[in-house]
Amino acid sequence: ELRPPGFDKGGVLRRLVETAAPGAVLFAGDDVGDLPAFAVVAELRAAGRPGLAVASASAEAAEVAERADLAVDGPAGVVALLGALADGLTPGR
């Protein structure tokens, strides 16, 4: 994973939220490089914006699941979660 010095996923997430002003935030991650974004989700939630940090859980990065609000079973679990959320937003369902 390459990134310029001084940048991390938390800073990028913060900038995206400032620009897009979403009503809620969900960030899914699978490695320790995602922990700064999990921290931003927690900050946003403390400031009143609904947010959820989701771990795509694996044995290699147990710390990620420990710091997440919700852990799902790998990438397929993230897809299933997003599908369930989308189904809940679909009119007429």
Side-chain angles (χ1 to χ4, degrees):
E1 185 172 305
L2 300 174
R3 63 182 169 267
F7 283 84
D8 62 30
K9 292 179 184 179
V12 172
L13 179 60
R14 187 176 286 111
R15 200 173 289 177
L16 284 171
V17 169
E18 290 169 358
T19 301
V25 175
L26 184 150
F27 186 90
D30 66 350
D31 67 35
V32 294
D34 297 314
L35 295 179
F38 283 12
V40 169
V41 170
E43 292 170 15
L44 293 167
R45 196 170 44 236
R49 186 180 313 265
L52 185 67
V54 178
S56 175
S58 70
E60 296 85 31
E63 181 182 1
V64 177
E66 292 168 6
R67 302 265 306 270
D69 300 310
L70 174 68
V72 296
D73 191 17
V78 174
V79 171
L81 173 63
L82 294 175
L85 289 171
D87 287 347
L89 296 174
T90 304
R93 285 190 145 187

